Amino acid sequence: MKRIPAEKRIATSVLVIGSGGSGLRAAIEVAERGGDVTVVGKRPKSDAHTSLAAGGINAALATMDPGDSWQQHAADTLKESYFLANPHTVEIVTRGAERGIEDLVSYGMPFAREDDGRISQRFFGAHTYRRTAFAGDYTGLEIQRTLVNRAAQLSIPVLDTVYITRLLVTDNTVFGAYGFDLEDGTRYVFHADAVILAAGGHNRIWRRTSSRRDENTGDSWRLAVDAGGRIRDPELVQFHPSGLIAPENAAGTLVSEAARGEGGILRNALGERFMSRYDPERMELSTRDRVALAEYTEIKEGRGTPDGGVWLDVSHLPRQTIMERLPRVYQTLLELQMLDITREPIEIAPTAHYSMGGVWVRPEDHRTDVVGLYAIGEASSGLHGANRLGGNSLIELLVYGRIVGETAAEYSARLARQERSEAALEQARAEVDGLLANDGAENVRALQRAVRNTMTEHAGVVRDEAGLLAGLAELAEIEKRMRDIGVHPDIAGFQDLAHAFDLKAAVLAARATIEAALERRETRGAHNRSDYPQLDESLQVNLVWSGPGQITRETIPPIPDQIAALMRDVSTAGKLVE
């Protein structure tokens, strides 16, 4: 008789996978409604990726500009998505944004305020009005702290060192998840009526990225696809314009967009303020895709710094402005480079920053194709299209966290019976057992590096068919080598096993990204095809990936007339690189 490893069994109405902003907000909603909820994460909740978001959170509060409205916020979002965002999703987020801010305030969020008590709001690139609320330049950190505190008040259990390896599904209905403890390897079986995926995106699969090691490796995508879900628009990846180049171990660390919002200037190695060539009207306040592409072009055409970057200069701003509005940028550069930004410019380059695509979900409640399974935050899709406006991701967490928490709690309360499948559980056990039994010659970390090199060389800021096909060939070779990996837990814990699952996720996410990038034969937003430099109206669709070689085109609903009336034409002037 086969020995079953020691397992802890936990039953909960709703299981949330991911302890960042979206996961905690969903869990808070379930708990406030009297539901039973458990949160699991593979890193400490206080150190979730949400805490790195610097610049701010969007809502048409009209505290600074009375003319602002949710309709204008929606119009800006849809316009800058290059018409790939779902109008229903956009309306839900922009309509619900004020409620999202109110929720945060009620939990104790310390927003920056004007002298008369109004919440301060500032400009972010491509917004018509000042609608970005903030707390210094560490907004995400304060939001995460606020949500962690609220979760603690509600006594929500958060397991910080549990890695989820597989969702448990039978007859296309989720009934829980399987995982292990990163420190001692203890297995976990979670029985749950509903499961919420909130484990982030996939931008760690590039060499220079704003994500830290072992986060945003595509976990949500792999879990969803293995369970029977699909991925929408995996090729649409936002490259943030301002990632640090040095030191190497911190390459990609973000310099907040607030640095440009407060008046920072971009210059090339010749000292030229080069944004005048790419967007003379908005200059440094242009959209992220255009600024990133402008930097890429300057570097590629030989006007970059010797280390392959450009200069971001805030030294002309008053020192008091920098210390009050950009304190985290100031501190980060002092710690990492001993650089005083009040005196010297910062060397930056585009860095993989945000997955604008993600798990396919319905706009109204973020249900996936699998009954009882939901996805939120960067794990999901529908809001950003081909270009995400700065500050929109944080408000998405609050709006859909509340909606999905409510929906999952109601689904659990209505459930007539709970599904179970010993076969599904045995499959999850066997997957972990198989990796632990591996004693191959291939090093997991080396293969992770190979994936990052492939994506950087062949699927970065600018792509073409030859490069993407070369990337697929390299990926196929990596997939072969994965069969011979060695997994070696040691006295320090089971991180090596986690890295092996991260690798599986990264390879799936890389394949989805490259295959969809090949299919999108046009240049639109953050997706730049040098061999197809024009926008193709026939490709104003979402690409939905359901496995290797399986891509379908999904029609996008029409934009409501009241929103369309507020939109300007999307200009591509100065955008095309080759």
Side-chain angles (χ1 to χ4, degrees), residues 543-565:
L543 299 181
V544 182
W545 187 89
S546 53
Q550 301 176 59
I551 295 177
T552 58
R553 297 186 179 191
E554 182 177 63
T555 302
I556 300 168
I559 297 171
D561 291 341
Q562 64 167 328
I563 305 299

Side-chain angles (χ1 to χ4, degrees), residues 163 165 180 222 431-432 435 497-506:
Y163 192 110
T165 62
F180 65 92
R222 181 184 64 82
E431 185 178 31
V432 177
L435 282 173
L497 179 59
H499 300 332
F501 278 103
D502 285 347
L503 175 61
K504 292 175 70 157

Side-chain angles (χ1 to χ4, degrees), residues 72 76 79-80 83 126 128 281-282 564 566-570:
Q72 187 62 62
D76 290 351
K79 175 174 63 66
E80 291 304 336
F83 306 106
T128 300
E281 182 180 346
R282 293 182 291 191
L566 297 172
M567 298 171 64
R568 300 188 306 272
D569 290 338
V570 175

Side-chain angles (χ1 to χ4, degrees), residues 91-108:
E91 179 173 343
I92 287 171
V93 171
T94 53
R95 267 184 181 271
E98 185 171 4
R99 164 73 184 275
I101 298 295
E102 290 171 354
D103 288 344
L104 275 183
V105 170
S106 72
Y107 300 155

Side-chain angles (χ1 to χ4, degrees), residues 337-355:
Q337 299 181 5
M338 287 300 292
L339 182 76
D340 182 353
I341 65 172
T342 68
R343 298 174 179 272
E344 300 175 80
I346 310 161
E347 192 175 16
I348 60 170
T351 182
H353 177 53
Y354 195 89
S355 305

Side-chain angles (χ1 to χ4, degrees), residues 31-32 43 52 64 72 104 113 296 349 359 383 412 433 578:
E32 287 183 339
R43 67 182 312 124
L52 299 184
M64 309 297 286
Q72 187 62 62
L104 275 183
R113 293 181 180 267
Y296 174 90
V359 178
L383 176 63
S412 172
D433 291 342
E578 293 176 19

Side-chain angles (χ1 to χ4, degrees), residues 382-495:
L383 176 63
H384 308 296
N387 189 47
R388 177 177 74 91
L389 285 180
N392 266 2
S393 60
L394 288 179
I395 196 60
E396 179 186 21
L397 308 183
L398 276 298
V399 174
Y400 273 113
R402 177 179 59 81
I403 290 171
V404 171
E406 176 184 359
T407 305
E410 290 178 351
Y411 168 80
S412 172
R414 293 195 314 266
L415 204 61
R417 66 190 183 96
Q418 295 170 316
E419 301 288 344
R420 295 287 186 270
S421 167
E422 188 60 34
L425 184 53
E426 182 52 41
Q427 183 184 23
R429 285 191 192 113
E431 185 178 31
V432 177
D433 291 342
L435 282 173
L436 287 172
N438 278 7
D439 193 24
E442 293 286 355
N443 181 276
V444 171
R445 283 304 208 191
L447 291 180
Q448 286 179 323
R449 265 195 311 275
V451 172
R452 292 197 294 271
N453 288 337
T454 292
M455 296 304 289
T456 300
E457 296 303 321
H458 302 302
V461 177
V462 177
R463 299 121 178 225
D464 61 37
E465 183 167 356
L468 291 167
L469 289 174
L472 278 182
E474 290 180 12
L475 207 55
E477 183 60 30
I478 292 169
E479 288 168 338
K480 286 181 186 176
R481 293 172 60 190
M482 282 173 61
R483 299 171 194 161
D484 190 36
I485 60 173
V487 177
H488 307 288
D490 56 28
I491 194 171
F494 281 70
Q495 292 290 342

Side-chain angles (χ1 to χ4, degrees), residues 148-203:
V148 166
N149 290 341
R150 180 58 181 153
Q153 290 171 1
L154 293 166
S155 300
I156 295 172
V158 182
L159 307 180
D160 274 338
T161 59
V162 173
Y163 192 110
I164 297 298
T165 62
R166 182 168 286 267
L167 299 179
L168 301 176
V169 177
T170 183
D171 294 330
N172 197 46
T173 300
V174 72
F175 67 90
Y178 194 80
F180 65 92
D181 188 278
L182 287 159
E183 294 178 350
D184 62 18
T186 299
R187 308 284 184 92
Y188 279 86
V189 178
F190 294 94
H191 287 298
D193 300 335
V195 176
I196 300 173
L197 277 177
H202 75 311
N203 59 71

